[in-house]
Amino acid sequence: MPRPGLIIHGGLGATEAEQSSRQVRREALQEILKDAHEVLKNGGARQAVVRACELLEDCPLFNAGTGATIQRDGQIRLSCALMDGREHRFSGLVNARYLKNPIRLAEQLQNRVDRLLDPQGAELLARALGEAVHEPALPEVIRRWADERFEGQYAGTHGTVGAAAVDGEGGLAAATSTGGRFMAGVGRVSDSCTPAGNYATDRCAVSCTGHGEDILDEALAARIAIRVDDGMSLQRAFERSFAEAESRGRDFAAIAVDSDGHTCWSVTMGILVAAYFDGKGEFRATF
Amino acid sequence: MPRPGLIIHGGLGATEAEQSSRQVRREALQEILKDAHEVLKNGGARQAVVRACELLEDCPLFNAGTGATIQRDGQIRLSCALMDGREHRFSGLVNARYLKNPIRLAEQLQNRVDRLLDPQGAELLARALGEAVHEPALPEVIRRWADERFEGQYAGTHGTVGAAAVDGEGGLAAATSTGGRFMAGVGRVSDSCTPAGNYATDRCAVSCTGHGEDILDEALAARIAIRVDDGMSLQRAFERSFAEAESRGRDFAAIAVDSDGHTCWSVTMGILVAAYFDGKGEFRATF
């Protein structure tokens, strides 16, 4: 019987503020990991990654849902994706607005004909499903935007949340959700709603975070998963994909789990904020 | 010195109307192929695929730009992507509106920080660049929408245009542009604006067409290109990727070229409408 595995991340933490709150983030991640692990045992991989993403979206420490960052026009745009590896099925939202938990809509999309929706499509779906209108902007995000709006300092921080899991039946799933890059241009789309940022097969599940354009350029999540499809170990697929990434000056990270329950992560620069179960079922943090 | 190669496609042609116009389409494709080949000789791979896509977008026989199909609300939404394999750089538009040649904007995005834009982002970019407002809806598309609007017959046809090229310097590029699926839900996003539908490296360039959700699920263009990165021949990468696709009941096709100038294409069902140069520099059609 396959060994369950679960790894979650809260993005790349590189700013001073993020580093100073490291312990707070670690504790938040570990609480979420425990909660999602209960779901993994009782419900399966897909439910577990959705639950993990939902809790990460609800936590103001991470750039997704409630903690989402802001684009140059002061608006929050949320992108996310869910991939069920057993069904080999991808679904997601591109730059959705006024949602509390975009990942829940991505899950609803798994069983629809149209499985990737733009902002207007997401709005109509939310309305059809009776989702309450929710403005996720935190006061400090709005204030930071107002302060920096006219300074032209747009080398903004980015971040994402995500989860990858394998359950006791060998079902795999990955979920990823993001608020994008701080001060990104209006309507800029991140990698998180594409198979570059979130991908799963019946052998492994991968979620990425970092500079979205770099992740798109590498088709990173798909790159790792396809290599595992072709017989590489997850570890080897990471090593090769990150060696290529470093040779091309990329700025990103990824987490993954394979069908044997091995977890894996790597990062080209900065600190990856992630938590996982080790081989003995202990809770661990990567930072 | 590498041998230049070029292949272009006008999507999967499966309807009766499309079959009856086969000769017309073949001639249109061959004219476009010749034009893009001139650009390939003088300008390089990236310019050639953009030029091919632009001409395909301008031709009312194909589902992109002027010939684009329509979503359920009577609106045309155009998605496209360009990938420069030498630069290993992806750019694109998600569901852009009122554009004549979306692929031209994707090319402009190659040199920007934000390289994938949603409908609002695309609109602002078009305005910033002084692009004229263009309503691409053909009368027959509008009429078909009006006729079928209330019949609930949404098992619509889909289509895409695309090009893959390698130039004499070994530079590779892929470009893909689509009007999506006829009668798709409002805001549905196709694969064409993601690395699943359009991908290139320094070894090969791939453009896909067919059922967008199936292409996303397989991360098809990236899947083929990454396999070539890992040492498979382009032919073998196609065989393996399409064998997997058939085992999973997928409905799509892809075209590609590798750094040796070999062209390749495959299709799971239906007829792929494509044209290419064979090894002796002759113009050929796949249908």
Side-chain angles (χ1 to χ4, degrees):
Chain A
M1 199 161 102
R3 187 169 59 103
L6 177 63
I7 180 164
I8 65 174
H9 72 82
L12 284 170
T15 67
E16 269 180 53
E18 284 161 344
Q19 283 172 20
S20 71
S21 68
R22 197 177 294 182
Q23 184 57 26
V24 179
R25 289 169 163 248
R26 184 177 290 143
E27 283 164 18
L29 275 186
Q30 290 189 330
E31 282 307 304
I32 291 167
L33 186 69
K34 281 178 196 164
D35 192 315
H37 191 250
E38 286 302 305
V39 177
L40 182 65
K41 286 190 294 184
N42 303 316
R46 179 162 140 187
Q47 288 89 331
V49 297
V50 170
R51 178 67 176 152
C53 252
E54 219 179 314
L55 292 168
L56 288 158
E57 286 173 344
D58 288 341
C59 180
L61 296 168
F62 306 111
N63 177 17
T66 297
T69 194
I70 205 161
Q71 292 195 337
R72 219 170 290 174
D73 60 350
Q75 299 299 313
I76 283 175
R77 291 177 178 84
L78 304 168
S79 291
C80 67
L82 170 65
M83 189 155 176
D84 185 320
R86 192 197 302 260
E87 305 288 334
H88 224 280
R89 196 182 293 158
F90 182 91
S91 59
L93 301 181
V94 178
N95 283 0
R97 292 175 61 185
Y98 304 117
L99 291 176
K100 185 168 182 289
N101 293 108
I103 198 67
R104 278 212 303 261
L105 288 199
E107 194 184 16
Q108 291 289 331
L109 286 171
Q110 278 277 319
N111 301 314
R112 302 211 165 202
V113 175
D114 304 323
R115 286 195 264 110
L116 183 59
L117 297 182
D118 78 2
Q120 195 176 352
E123 186 182 334
L124 290 172
L125 178 66
R127 197 188 292 180
L129 296 174
E131 285 278 325
V133 172
H134 179 83
E135 166 58 80
L138 293 174
E140 57 264 36
V141 172
I142 298 281
R143 276 192 213 105
R144 188 174 162 211
W145 171 73
D147 286 347
E148 299 185 23
R149 178 71 187 85
F150 300 102
E151 290 174 11
Q153 297 296 323
Y154 295 151
T157 52
H158 41 64
T160 313
V161 306
V166 58
D167 59 37
E169 311 288 311
L172 286 134
T176 307
S177 182
T178 188
R181 203 179 71 242
F182 179 67
M183 285 290 186
V186 178
R188 178 256 187 184
V189 176
S190 88
D191 61 288
S192 303
C193 51
T194 78
N198 188 78
Y199 200 70
T201 66
D202 52 6
R203 293 175 185 234
C204 75
V206 190
S207 170
C208 304
T209 178
H211 188 66
E213 282 74 7
D214 283 354
I215 297 169
L216 285 168
D217 290 349
E218 296 289 329
L220 183 62
R223 179 173 293 264
I224 292 167
I226 287 159
R227 286 177 162 165
V228 174
D229 262 10
D230 286 348
M232 271 189 219
S233 70
L234 186 60
Q235 183 65 38
R236 182 78 194 93
F238 263 72
E239 282 164 11
R240 185 179 290 197
S241 303
F242 276 80
E244 291 165 346
E246 281 173 23
S247 75
R248 294 193 275 257
R250 305 302 192 186
D251 170 17
F252 55 52
I255 61 165
V257 63
D258 70 14
S259 50
D260 295 323
H262 298 123
T263 50
C264 202
W265 69 91
S266 193
V267 53
T268 57
M269 56 183 89
I271 297 158
L272 175 65
V273 179
Y276 64 101
F277 286 97
D278 69 9
K280 298 162 193 149
E282 297 285 319
F283 298 86
R284 305 281 179 196
T286 62
F287 64 107
Chain B
M1 201 160 101
R3 187 170 59 102
L6 177 63
I7 181 164
I8 66 174
H9 72 83
L12 283 170
T15 67
E16 269 180 53
E18 284 162 344
Q19 283 173 20
S20 71
S21 68
R22 198 177 293 181
Q23 184 56 27
V24 180
R25 289 168 163 249
R26 185 178 288 141
E27 283 165 18
L29 275 186
Q30 291 190 330
E31 282 307 304
I32 290 167
L33 187 69
K34 280 178 196 164
D35 193 315
H37 191 249
E38 287 302 305
V39 177
L40 182 65
K41 285 190 293 185
N42 302 316
R46 178 162 141 188
Q47 288 90 329
V49 296
V50 170
R51 178 67 176 152
C53 251
E54 218 178 315
L55 293 168
L56 288 159
E57 286 172 344
D58 288 342
C59 180
L61 296 169
F62 306 111
N63 177 16
T66 296
T69 194
I70 205 163
Q71 292 195 338
R72 219 170 291 174
D73 59 349
Q75 299 300 312
I76 282 175
R77 292 178 176 83
L78 304 167
S79 291
C80 67
L82 170 65
M83 189 154 177
D84 185 322
R86 193 197 302 261
E87 305 289 335
H88 224 281
R89 195 182 294 158
F90 183 91
S91 59
L93 300 181
V94 178
N95 283 0
R97 293 175 60 185
Y98 303 117
L99 292 176
K100 186 168 182 289
N101 292 107
I103 198 66
R104 277 212 303 261
L105 288 198
E107 193 183 17
Q108 291 289 332
L109 286 171
Q110 277 277 318
N111 302 314
R112 301 211 165 201
V113 176
D114 304 322
R115 284 194 266 111
L116 183 59
L117 296 182
D118 78 3
Q120 194 176 355
E123 186 182 335
L124 290 172
L125 178 66
R127 197 188 292 180
L129 295 174
E131 285 280 324
V133 171
H134 179 81
E135 168 56 78
L138 293 175
E140 56 266 36
V141 173
I142 298 282
R143 276 192 214 107
R144 187 175 162 212
W145 171 73
D147 287 344
E148 300 186 22
R149 177 72 186 85
F150 300 101
E151 290 174 12
Q153 297 297 324
Y154 295 152
T157 52
H158 41 61
T160 312
V161 305
V166 59
D167 59 38
E169 311 289 312
L172 285 136
T176 306
S177 181
T178 188
R181 202 179 71 242
F182 178 66
M183 285 288 184
V186 178
R188 179 254 186 184
V189 176
S190 87
D191 61 287
S192 304
C193 52
T194 77
N198 188 79
Y199 201 70
T201 65
D202 52 6
R203 292 176 186 234
C204 75
V206 189
S207 170
C208 303
T209 178
H211 188 66
E213 282 74 7
D214 284 354
I215 297 169
L216 285 169
D217 290 349
E218 296 289 327
L220 183 63
R223 179 173 293 264
I224 292 167
I226 288 159
R227 286 178 161 163
V228 175
D229 262 12
D230 286 350
M232 269 187 222
S233 71
L234 186 60
Q235 184 65 38
R236 181 78 194 94
F238 262 72
E239 282 164 12
R240 184 178 290 197
S241 303
F242 276 80
E244 291 166 346
E246 281 174 23
S247 75
R248 293 193 276 258
R250 305 302 193 185
D251 171 16
F252 55 51
I255 61 165
V257 63
D258 70 14
S259 50
D260 294 324
H262 298 123
T263 51
C264 202
W265 70 92
S266 193
V267 54
T268 58
M269 56 184 89
I271 297 157
L272 176 66
V273 179
Y276 63 102
F277 286 97
D278 68 9
K280 297 163 194 149
E282 298 287 317
F283 297 87
R284 304 281 179 197
T286 62
F287 64 107

